Amino acid sequence: MRRSPALRAGVTGVLLMGALALPASASVSVAAASDGGGAQSFTIKDPRIAESSGLAASHLHPGVYWTHNDSGDGPYIYAVDSRTGKTVATVTLSGIGTPRDVEAISIGPGNQIYVGDIGDNLGGTWPYVWIYRLPEPKVLKDQTVRATQYVVKYSDGPRNAESLIVHPKTGRVYIIDKNENGGHLFEGPSRLSTSGTNIFRPVATVDLWATDAALSPDGRRLAVRGYFGGIYYDWNGGRIRRGGRLDVPLQQQGESVTYSLDGTRLLYGSEGKDSPVQAQDAPRGASSSSADSPPAHGSPASGSGPVGSIGGGVKAGAVAVALGALVLLGLGRLRRSRRSRRES
């Protein structure tokens, strides 16, 4: 999702105010570096990657993460080495049409990369979207790889989405739509087909304004992030059960998340030049707190509401700041919508 420089600056200021409003214990999660073993935080240093909107840990190259830009970049994905923050391979997808609004990336069984051209900034005006699939390159170098293109529609009509996940065991593809009031997990067919339209159907509610999601490597846990918070779910065969909240760091425009290759960390990315990718420990057990574990498919615990805007541990002052940021985001969407209608 693209915002004007003025609006981006406004949101950045709001996020800075929010960071100052956080309690000391929560402020630790804002830091770029992360202690302990496993995957570490890093900064994407490639000036071409100014709108990183998806993130996936490489299966063949430990420490490397695949990402892509938002709309307008072209059929490219980038392999970034987390040790240096530098791009070590640019892959050009061939055999597909012109990408429209690429928002997500995931890796499934057989080291197959799935790229979700599933965004719709006009809120559901495109009758179909696309998914591209290609093998993860065994050698990291600039190259062109032929991809397979799939046509996707939703059973209940078009919508905007920024989250695509592939189950690591079954290879089934899922999409979560992006809705300020919370969305749904949509399940695709058992196998995607190139010969016709692939219909995705809602199977569970998601209490989040979702900007990205990721499945753990063992396929047992789903992490969903928004701009100001996140939720993790027990996968439960796709009929997800809410487990608790994720401690999502405050970022300029947080639109990506992935599990590390070993499943012990979650890495959160943001749009923007020199954007940070921040590592946090992944949740390991179901929360015993009723405040963090409301009933599955229902409303969050009393006083919490959808978590697309607010993460756990945020005090009342930060809540107000976060709401102000949501207003700015809403204005940005309205302006984009009006501009797109004028251009069309």
Side-chain angles (χ1 to χ4, degrees), residues 48-258:
R48 296 173 299 172
I49 307 174
E51 294 185 334
S52 175
S53 194
L55 201 64
S58 169
H59 285 191
L60 298 179
H61 311 284
V64 169
Y65 293 84
W66 292 96
T67 189
H68 55 82
N69 280 312
D70 203 333
S71 55
D73 184 39
Y76 312 117
I77 60 174
Y78 305 90
V80 179
D81 188 339
S82 62
R83 292 166 296 185
T84 64
K86 296 181 179 180
T87 298
V88 291
T90 300
V91 173
T92 302
L93 280 62
S94 67
I96 65 173
T98 302
R100 188 163 49 190
D101 191 358
V102 177
E103 292 287 358
I105 188 168
S106 183
I107 302 181
N111 306 320
Q112 296 290 306
I113 298 176
Y114 292 75
V115 180
D117 191 355
I118 56 175
D120 184 349
N121 285 334
L122 296 182
T125 59
W126 294 327
Y128 57 85
V129 292
W130 298 304
I131 293 173
Y132 314 122
R133 178 178 59 84
L134 68 153
E136 181 174 11
K138 295 180 179 179
V139 178
L140 291 176
K141 64 178 182 179
D142 293 351
Q143 57 193 289
T144 298
V145 177
R146 187 168 185 83
T148 302
Q149 179 169 325
Y150 302 100
V151 176
V152 169
K153 289 186 177 181
Y154 302 96
S155 62
D156 55 354
R159 60 200 56 248
N160 185 30
E162 295 188 3
S163 309
L164 177 142
I165 55 177
V166 183
H167 195 278
K169 307 297 184 183
T170 68
R172 197 161 198 158
V173 183
Y174 298 80
I175 294 172
I176 301 174
D177 61 340
K178 183 181 181 184
N179 190 307
E180 292 91 332
N181 297 318
H184 291 83
L185 176 71
F186 286 81
E187 182 180 72
S190 58
R191 290 289 182 270
L192 296 179
S193 171
T194 58
S195 61
T197 301
N198 296 274
I199 304 299
F200 278 60
R201 306 179 187 281
V203 294
T205 58
V206 175
D207 301 318
L208 194 71
W209 187 14
T211 61
D212 201 12
L215 268 170
S216 58
D218 61 8
R220 298 175 62 186
R221 181 154 289 169
L222 172 68
V224 187
R225 75 159 300 170
Y227 290 118
F228 302 99
I231 302 173
Y232 67 89
Y233 295 87
D234 294 324
W235 181 245
N236 191 35
R239 276 55 180 175
I240 55 177
R241 291 193 298 252
R242 179 166 170 165
R245 292 179 178 173
L246 295 172
D247 188 17
V248 178
L250 289 172
Q251 294 177 311
Q252 176 177 315
Q253 189 175 338
E255 294 207 3
S256 60
V257 64
T258 185

Side-chain angles (χ1 to χ4, degrees), residues 262-286:
D262 63 5
T264 63
R265 313 298 293 276
L266 281 167
L267 292 97
Y268 299 94
S270 173
E271 289 195 10
K273 294 182 179 179
D274 295 322
S275 61
V277 176
Q278 298 172 250
Q280 304 273 7
D281 288 336
R284 299 192 180 188

